[in-house]
Amino acid sequence: MPEAGLKELLEAGVHFGHQTRRWNPNMRRYIFGELDGIHIIDLVQTEALLENARRFAGELSSGGGTVLLVGTKKQARGPVQEWAERCKMPYVNQRWLGGLLTNFNTISQRISRLHELTEWKQEGKLELLPTKERMRMQAELAKLEYNLGGVRDMDRLPDAVFVTDLKTEEIAVREAARLRIPIIGLVDTNCDPTPVDYVIPGNDDAIRSCGLVIGTIGAAVEEGAGAWRVQEERRLQEEMERRKRDEEERKKREEEEKARKEAEEAAEKEAAERKAAAEKMAAQGQPAQPAGPVGAGSPPPPPPAGGPPAADAKQSGSGEEASK
């Protein structure tokens, strides 16, 4: 992560303040001295405070936090947009829309309208409208792009706000302070540092000074946000793999349960078939039973058709010999 030392701060002109007659007494502790009617800022304090702000921004972004970069003055518009797009963070570099933070519910509705018109433009639906309505919607889209183009992906309030000029961005500072959102500010000698949580004393009028401070904070945010995105992607991948394993285990359990039920049904069916076959075989091999038991007064059953048995024949033969 790049760090800005005393040499870089001195070469960028961060130490030049405003005229002594335009100073704010609350900035007294950050002023080193006076030269030709201009206050000179203490760069030793600036270096330490810039490092503190850089560390805070990096830790915040590495935890998934959002930093809103604000710089609507001409010197800061380019660096703010460049670093915000590199960090994939929201930014405001044209005009601060009143209520952007304190009335975020209404602003979110306008952001949704911006997405809707952008989608219509990409799909070619605007070209199908009548001329007057098409021109009205194109003008509305251009206005929304101008005011809300940098915060179109901000779906919630930011976790911190970086401001380049407290006087120019006075409304933004008030809204952030009202919502108790941490403020990182580049504070010149004509500004009041009281509402700022992380003060960076420095020149907010020079292009190089603004670019150096914005680049330092932006680099910290970029590194932290990149590390968080890598961790988030890894976490999402692990979550997807876990869900996939759970789904496979669930399907496996369902298949095992289904196979078990099918086996039980087949066993029950086979047992029923065996029982029915056994009953059928038993019914076919059993002799016919008489209707009831033989009574005492009923006649004996007739002899079999083949004649009397051998014992009866002997008895008849011995009777005949005796008669002779």
Side-chain angles (χ1 to χ4, degrees):
M1 187 181 299
E3 299 181 5
L6 286 175
K7 182 179 179 181
E8 290 79 9
L9 295 174
L10 187 64
E11 291 177 351
V14 181
H15 59 289
F16 290 115
H18 278 274
Q19 296 177 356
T20 55
R21 59 185 177 87
R22 297 175 55 190
W23 77 307
N24 190 302
N26 291 330
M27 285 293 293
R28 180 184 289 107
R29 59 183 180 273
Y30 302 114
I31 296 176
F32 176 78
E34 176 187 346
L35 179 64
D36 296 334
I38 297 177
H39 277 132
I40 303 300
I41 299 173
D42 188 1
L43 291 184
V44 176
Q45 296 189 52
T46 300
E47 182 185 17
L49 293 172
L50 179 59
E51 173 63 22
N52 187 28
R54 183 190 68 83
R55 189 182 303 109
F56 167 75
E59 293 176 355
L60 181 66
S61 59
S62 64
T66 304
V67 180
L68 175 62
L69 305 180
V70 183
T72 59
K73 63 191 306 181
K74 186 177 180 180
Q75 295 90 329
R77 288 178 182 173
V80 163
Q81 182 176 359
E82 176 187 356
W83 281 101
E85 291 178 350
R86 287 178 59 175
C87 305
K88 297 181 181 179
M89 292 290 174
Y91 67 94
V92 177
N93 70 333
Q94 295 295 335
R95 175 177 175 267
W96 179 266
L97 212 58
L100 181 61
L101 298 179
T102 55
N103 194 19
F104 186 72
N105 291 333
T106 303
I107 297 297
S108 61
Q109 295 177 5
R110 303 309 301 162
I111 293 175
S112 300
R113 178 62 174 172
L114 172 60
H115 287 293
E116 182 182 6
L117 293 178
T118 304
E119 185 178 355
W120 287 5
K121 182 179 180 181
Q122 294 175 352
E123 294 177 355
K125 292 183 179 180
L126 292 181
E127 304 299 330
L128 304 177
L129 298 175
T131 303
K132 187 174 182 179
E133 188 175 358
R134 183 181 71 249
M135 293 178 65
R136 180 178 62 82
M137 288 193 175
Q138 288 176 349
E140 181 183 2
L141 177 60
K143 184 177 180 179
L144 291 174
E145 281 280 0
Y146 180 82
N147 292 325
L148 301 173
V151 295
R152 63 191 312 158
D153 297 327
M154 189 174 71
D155 54 356
R156 60 182 178 86
L157 289 175
D159 299 295
V161 178
F162 173 75
V163 181
T164 53
D165 188 355
L166 299 187
K167 281 191 172 294
T168 305
E169 319 300 343
E170 183 179 1
I171 300 177
V173 173
R174 287 183 180 179
E175 292 188 15
R178 182 176 180 180
L179 296 176
R180 297 182 180 180
I181 299 176
I183 302 174
I184 306 171
L186 176 59
V187 187
D188 211 331
T189 56
N190 65 333
C191 299
D192 183 11
T194 303
V196 181
D197 299 281
Y198 296 89
V199 179
I200 305 175
N203 185 3
D204 60 4
D205 294 321
I207 298 177
R208 294 183 61 187
S209 175
C210 292
L212 177 63
V213 175
I214 295 171
T216 303
I217 300 297
V221 174
E222 181 184 17
E223 182 172 342
W228 179 79
R229 291 190 189 97
V230 172
Q231 295 177 0
E232 190 69 10
E233 290 177 358
R234 186 183 300 113
R235 185 187 66 81
L236 291 175
Q237 185 176 2
E238 292 176 355
E239 182 70 15
M240 291 178 63
E241 292 178 355
R242 185 185 65 80
R243 290 183 179 180
K244 186 178 180 181
R245 289 195 302 268
D246 294 344
E247 184 69 16
E248 291 177 353
E249 292 177 359
R250 185 182 63 82
K251 290 182 178 179
K252 185 178 180 180
R253 288 195 301 268
E254 289 179 355
E255 292 176 356
E256 291 177 353
E257 185 68 17
K258 184 178 179 182
R260 185 181 64 80
K261 289 182 178 180
E262 290 179 353
E264 290 179 356
E265 292 176 357
E268 292 177 358
K269 185 177 180 181
E270 184 178 357
E273 291 177 354
R274 288 180 179 177
K275 184 177 180 181
E279 292 178 354
K280 186 176 180 182
M281 291 175 63
Q284 290 177 355
Q286 183 177 4
Q289 298 290 336
V294 180
S298 59
D312 295 342
K314 276 186 175 183
Q315 292 177 1
S316 60
S318 60
E320 289 177 358
E321 290 178 356
S323 62
K324 288 180 179 179

